[in-house]
Coordinates of all heavy atoms in Angstrom, one line a residue:
Q256 N 4.1 7.7 8.1 CA 5.1 8.6 7.8 C 6.3 7.9 7.2 O 7.0 8.5 6.3 CB 5.5 9.4 9.0 CG 6.5 10.5 8.8 CD 6.8 11.2 10.1 OE1 7.2 10.6 11.1 NE2 6.7 12.6 10.1
L257 N 6.6 6.7 7.8 CA 7.8 6.0 7.3 C 7.6 5.5 5.9 O 8.5 5.5 5.0 CB 8.1 4.8 8.2 CG 8.7 5.3 9.6 CD1 8.9 4.0 10.5 CD2 10.1 6.0 9.4
E258 N 6.3 5.2 5.6 CA 5.9 4.7 4.2 C 6.2 5.9 3.3 O 6.7 5.8 2.2 CB 4.4 4.5 4.2 CG 4.0 3.0 3.9 CD 2.5 2.9 4.2 OE1 1.7 3.6 3.6 OE2 2.2 1.9 4.9
A259 N 5.8 7.1 3.7 CA 6.0 8.3 2.8 C 7.4 8.5 2.6 O 7.8 8.8 1.5 CB 5.4 9.6 3.5
R260 N 8.3 8.3 3.7 CA 9.7 8.5 3.6 C 10.3 7.6 2.5 O 11.2 8.0 1.7 CB 10.3 8.3 5.0 CG 11.7 8.8 5.0 CD 12.4 8.8 6.4 NE 13.7 9.4 6.3 CZ 14.7 8.8 5.8 NH1 14.6 7.5 5.4 NH2 15.8 9.5 5.7
T261 N 9.8 6.4 2.5 CA 10.3 5.3 1.5 C 9.9 5.8 0.2 O 10.8 5.7 -0.8 CB 9.6 3.9 1.8 OG1 10.0 3.6 3.2 CG2 10.2 2.9 0.9
E262 N 8.7 6.3 0.0 CA 8.2 6.7 -1.4 C 9.1 7.9 -1.9 O 9.5 7.9 -3.0 CB 6.8 7.2 -1.3 CG 5.8 6.2 -0.9 CD 5.3 5.4 -2.2 OE1 5.5 5.8 -3.3 OE2 4.7 4.3 -1.9
I263 N 9.3 8.8 -1.0 CA 10.1 10.0 -1.4 C 11.5 9.7 -1.8 O 12.1 10.2 -2.8 CB 10.0 11.0 -0.3 CG1 8.5 11.5 -0.1 CG2 10.9 12.3 -0.6 CD1 8.3 12.0 1.4
A264 N 12.1 8.8 -1.0 CA 13.5 8.5 -1.3 C 13.5 7.7 -2.6 O 14.4 7.8 -3.4 CB 14.0 7.6 -0.2
A265 N 12.5 6.9 -2.8 CA 12.5 6.1 -4.0 C 12.3 6.9 -5.2 O 12.7 6.6 -6.4 CB 11.3 5.0 -4.1
A266 N 11.7 8.1 -5.1 CA 11.6 9.0 -6.2 C 12.9 9.8 -6.5 O 12.9 10.7 -7.3 CB 10.5 10.1 -5.9
G267 N 13.9 9.5 -5.7 CA 15.2 10.1 -5.9 C 15.5 11.4 -5.2 O 16.4 12.1 -5.5
L268 N 14.6 11.7 -4.2 CA 14.7 13.0 -3.5 C 15.3 12.7 -2.2 O 15.2 11.7 -1.6 CB 13.4 13.7 -3.3 CG 12.6 14.0 -4.6 CD1 11.2 14.5 -4.2 CD2 13.4 15.1 -5.4
S269 N 16.1 13.7 -1.6 CA 16.8 13.5 -0.5 C 15.9 14.0 0.7 O 15.4 15.1 0.6 CB 18.2 14.0 -0.4 OG 18.3 15.2 0.3
V270 N 15.6 13.1 1.7 CA 14.7 13.4 2.7 C 15.4 13.3 4.1 O 16.2 12.3 4.3 CB 13.4 12.4 2.5 CG1 13.8 11.0 2.4 CG2 12.4 12.6 3.6
T271 N 15.0 14.1 5.1 CA 15.6 14.0 6.4 C 15.2 12.8 7.2 O 14.1 12.2 6.9 CB 15.2 15.3 7.3 OG1 13.8 15.2 7.5 CG2 15.6 16.6 6.5
P272 N 15.9 12.5 8.2 CA 15.4 11.5 9.2 C 14.1 12.1 9.9 O 13.9 13.3 9.8 CB 16.5 11.3 10.2 CG 17.6 12.0 9.6 CD 17.2 13.1 8.7
V273 N 13.5 11.2 10.7 CA 12.3 11.7 11.4 C 12.8 12.6 12.5 O 13.7 12.2 13.3 CB 11.5 10.5 12.0 CG1 10.3 10.9 12.9 CG2 11.0 9.6 10.8
L274 N 12.2 13.8 12.6 CA 12.5 14.7 13.7 C 11.3 14.9 14.6 O 10.2 15.0 14.2 CB 12.9 16.1 13.1 CG 14.1 16.1 12.1 CD1 14.2 17.4 11.4 CD2 15.4 15.9 13.0
D275 N 11.5 14.9 16.0 CA 10.5 15.1 16.9 C 10.2 16.6 17.2 O 11.0 17.3 17.7 CB 10.8 14.3 18.2 CG 9.6 14.2 19.2 OD1 8.6 14.9 18.8 OD2 9.8 13.6 20.2
R276 N 9.1 17.1 16.7 CA 8.6 18.5 17.0 C 7.8 18.6 18.1 O 7.1 19.7 18.2 CB 8.0 19.0 15.6 CG 8.9 19.0 14.4 CD 10.3 19.5 14.7 NE 11.0 20.0 13.6 CZ 12.3 20.5 13.6 NH1 12.9 20.5 14.8 NH2 12.9 20.9 12.5
D277 N 7.7 17.6 19.0 CA 6.8 17.7 20.2 C 5.3 17.5 20.0 O 4.7 16.7 20.5 CB 7.1 18.9 21.1 CG 8.2 18.8 22.0 OD1 9.0 17.8 21.9 OD2 8.4 19.6 23.0
Y278 N 4.9 18.3 19.0 CA 3.4 18.3 18.7 C 3.0 17.4 17.5 O 1.9 17.1 17.2 CB 2.9 19.6 18.5 CG 3.3 20.6 19.6 CD1 4.3 21.5 19.4 CD2 2.9 20.3 21.0 CE1 4.8 22.2 20.5 CE2 3.3 21.0 22.0 CZ 4.3 22.0 21.8 OH 4.7 22.7 22.9
F279 N 4.1 17.0 16.8 CA 4.1 16.0 15.7 C 5.5 15.6 15.3 O 6.4 16.2 15.9 CB 3.3 16.6 14.4 CG 3.7 18.0 14.2 CD1 4.8 18.3 13.5 CD2 2.9 19.1 14.6 CE1 5.3 19.6 13.2 CE2 3.3 20.5 14.3 CZ 4.5 20.7 13.6
K280 N 5.6 14.5 14.5 CA 6.9 14.2 14.0 C 7.0 14.6 12.6 O 5.9 14.6 11.9 CB 7.1 12.7 14.2 CG 7.4 12.3 15.7 CD 7.6 10.8 15.8 CE 7.8 10.4 17.2 NZ 7.6 9.0 17.4
S281 N 8.2 14.9 12.1 CA 8.4 15.6 10.8 C 9.5 14.9 10.1 O 10.5 14.5 10.6 CB 8.7 17.0 11.0 OG 7.6 17.7 11.7
I282 N 9.3 14.9 8.8 CA 10.3 14.7 7.8 C 10.3 15.8 6.7 O 9.1 16.3 6.5 CB 10.4 13.3 7.1 CG1 9.0 13.1 6.4 CG2 10.6 12.1 8.1 CD1 8.9 11.7 5.5
Y283 N 11.4 16.2 6.2 CA 11.4 17.3 5.2 C 12.1 16.9 4.0 O 13.1 16.1 4.1 CB 12.1 18.5 5.8 CG 11.6 19.0 7.1 CD1 12.0 18.4 8.3 CD2 10.6 20.1 7.2 CE1 11.5 19.0 9.6 CE2 10.2 20.6 8.3 CZ 10.6 20.0 9.6 OH 10.1 20.4 10.7
F284 N 11.6 17.4 2.9 CA 12.4 17.3 1.6 C 12.1 18.4 0.7 O 11.0 19.1 0.9 CB 12.0 15.9 1.0 CG 10.6 15.8 0.5 CD1 10.3 16.0 -0.8 CD2 9.6 15.5 1.4 CE1 8.9 15.9 -1.3 CE2 8.3 15.4 1.0 CZ 7.9 15.5 -0.4
R285 N 13.0 18.7 -0.2 CA 12.7 19.8 -1.2 C 12.2 19.2 -2.5 O 12.9 18.2 -3.0 CB 14.0 20.5 -1.5 CG 13.8 22.0 -1.5 CD 15.1 22.8 -1.5 NE 15.4 23.3 -0.2 CZ 14.7 24.3 0.4 NH1 13.7 24.9 -0.1 NH2 15.1 24.7 1.7
E286 N 11.0 19.5 -2.9 CA 10.4 19.0 -4.1 C 11.2 19.6 -5.4 O 11.9 20.6 -5.2 CB 8.9 19.2 -4.2 CG 8.4 20.7 -4.1 CD 8.5 21.3 -5.4 OE1 8.2 20.7 -6.4 OE2 8.9 22.6 -5.4
P287 N 10.9 19.1 -6.5 CA 11.9 19.4 -7.6 C 11.9 20.9 -8.0 O 12.9 21.4 -8.5 CB 11.3 18.6 -8.8 CG 10.6 17.5 -8.2 CD 10.0 18.0 -6.9
S288 N 10.8 21.7 -7.7 CA 10.9 23.1 -8.0 C 11.5 23.9 -7.0 O 11.6 25.2 -7.0 CB 9.5 23.6 -8.4 OG 8.8 24.1 -7.3
G289 N 11.8 23.3 -5.8 CA 12.6 24.1 -4.8 C 11.7 24.3 -3.5 O 12.2 24.9 -2.6
V290 N 10.5 24.0 -3.6 CA 9.6 24.2 -2.3 C 9.9 23.2 -1.3 O 10.0 21.9 -1.6 CB 8.2 24.2 -2.8 CG1 7.2 24.5 -1.5 CG2 7.8 25.2 -3.8
L291 N 10.0 23.7 0.0 CA 10.3 22.8 1.1 C 9.0 22.1 1.5 O 8.0 22.8 1.9 CB 10.9 23.5 2.2 CG 11.5 22.6 3.4 CD1 12.5 21.6 3.0 CD2 11.9 23.6 4.6
F292 N 9.0 20.7 1.4 CA 7.7 20.0 1.8 C 8.1 19.2 3.1 O 9.2 18.9 3.3 CB 7.4 19.0 0.8 CG 6.6 19.4 -0.4 CD1 6.3 20.8 -0.6 CD2 6.0 18.5 -1.4 CE1 5.5 21.2 -1.7 CE2 5.3 19.0 -2.5 CZ 5.0 20.3 -2.7
E293 N 7.1 19.1 3.9 CA 7.2 18.3 5.2 C 6.0 17.3 5.2 O 5.0 17.6 4.7 CB 7.1 19.3 6.4 CG 7.0 18.7 7.7 CD 6.8 19.7 8.9 OE1 6.8 20.9 8.6 OE2 6.5 19.2 10.0
I294 N 6.4 16.2 5.8 CA 5.3 15.2 6.2 C 5.2 15.2 7.6 O 6.2 14.9 8.3 CB 5.6 13.8 5.6 CG1 5.9 13.8 4.1 CG2 4.3 12.9 5.8 CD1 4.7 14.2 3.2
A295 N 4.1 15.6 8.2 CA 3.9 15.7 9.7 C 2.8 14.7 10.1 O 1.8 14.6 9.5 CB 3.6 17.1 10.0
T296 N 3.1 14.1 11.3 CA 2.1 13.2 11.8 C 0.9 13.9 12.4 O 1.1 14.9 13.1 CB 2.7 12.2 12.8 OG1 3.3 12.9 13.8 CG2 3.7 11.3 12.2
D297 N -0.4 13.4 12.4 CA -1.4 14.0 13.1 C -1.2 14.0 14.6 O -1.4 15.0 15.2 CB -2.7 13.2 12.7 CG -3.2 13.5 11.3 OD1 -2.7 14.4 10.7 OD2 -4.3 13.0 10.9
P298 N -0.9 12.8 15.2 CA -0.6 12.8 16.6 C 0.8 13.3 17.0 O 1.7 13.3 16.1 CB -0.8 11.3 17.0 CG -0.6 10.5 15.8 CD -0.8 11.4 14.6
P299 N 1.0 13.8 18.2 CA 0.1 13.7 19.3 C -0.8 15.0 19.3 O -1.7 15.0 20.0 CB 1.0 13.7 20.5 CG 2.3 14.4 20.1 CD 2.5 14.1 18.6
G300 N -0.4 16.1 18.7 CA -1.2 17.3 18.8 C -0.8 18.2 19.9 O 0.0 18.0 20.7
F301 N -1.6 19.4 19.9 CA -1.2 20.5 20.8 C -1.6 20.3 22.3 O -1.2 21.1 23.1 CB -1.7 21.8 20.2 CG -1.1 22.1 19.0 CD1 -1.8 21.9 17.7 CD2 0.2 22.6 18.9 CE1 -1.2 22.2 16.6 CE2 0.9 22.8 17.7 CZ 0.2 22.6 16.5
C302 N -2.4 19.3 22.6 CA -2.9 19.1 24.0 C -1.9 18.3 24.7 O -2.2 17.9 25.8 CB -4.3 18.6 24.0 SG -5.5 19.8 23.4
V303 N -0.8 18.0 24.1 CA 0.2 17.0 24.7 C 0.8 17.7 25.9 O 1.2 17.1 26.9 CB 1.2 16.6 23.7 CG1 2.2 17.7 23.3 CG2 1.9 15.3 24.2
D304 N 0.9 19.1 26.0 CA 1.5 19.8 27.1 C 0.7 20.9 27.7 O 1.2 21.7 28.5 CB 3.0 20.1 26.8 CG 3.0 21.2 25.6 OD1 2.0 21.5 25.1 OD2 4.0 21.7 25.2
E305 N -0.4 21.0 27.2 CA -1.4 22.1 27.7 C -2.8 21.5 27.6 O -3.2 20.8 26.7 CB -1.3 23.4 26.8 CG -0.2 24.4 27.3 CD -0.2 25.6 26.3 OE1 -0.1 25.4 25.1 OE2 -0.2 26.7 26.8
K306 N -3.7 22.1 28.6 CA -5.2 21.7 28.4 C -5.7 22.5 27.3 O -5.3 23.6 27.0 CB -5.8 22.1 29.8 CG -5.4 21.3 30.9 CD -6.6 21.2 31.9 CE -6.4 20.3 33.0 NZ -5.6 20.9 34.1
L307 N -6.8 22.0 26.7 CA -7.5 22.6 25.6 C -7.8 24.0 25.9 O -7.7 24.9 25.2 CB -8.7 21.7 25.2 CG -9.6 22.3 24.0 CD1 -8.9 22.3 22.7 CD2 -10.9 21.5 24.0
E308 N -8.4 24.2 27.2 CA -8.9 25.5 27.5 C -7.8 26.5 27.5 O -8.0 27.7 27.3 CB -9.4 25.5 29.0 CG -10.5 24.5 29.3 CD -9.9 23.1 29.6 OE1 -9.4 23.0 30.7 OE2 -9.9 22.3 28.7
S309 N -6.5 26.2 27.9 CA -5.5 27.2 28.1 C -4.4 27.1 26.9 O -3.3 27.6 27.1 CB -4.9 26.9 29.4 OG -4.4 25.6 29.6
L310 N -4.7 26.5 25.8 CA -3.8 26.4 24.7 C -3.2 27.8 24.4 O -3.9 28.8 24.3 CB -4.4 25.8 23.5 CG -4.6 24.4 23.4 CD1 -5.3 23.9 22.1 CD2 -3.3 23.5 23.6

Side-chain angles (χ1 to χ4, degrees):
Q256 184 178 54
L257 290 176
E258 248 170 50
R260 196 173 183 282
T261 306
E262 296 273 346
I263 295 155
L268 299 173
S269 108
V270 52
T271 67
V273 175
L274 299 166
D275 188 352
R276 297 315 200 184
D277 273 17
Y278 310 107
F279 42 82
K280 287 183 185 163
S281 301
I282 55 174
Y283 302 86
F284 65 102
R285 221 168 264 286
E286 56 81 41
S288 84
V290 180
L291 188 60
F292 277 6
E293 172 183 352
I294 307 292
T296 54
D297 283 358
F301 295 102
C302 292
V303 73
D304 62 358
E305 270 177 309
K306 289 207 176 79
L307 179 65
E308 310 81 77
S309 54
L310 283 179

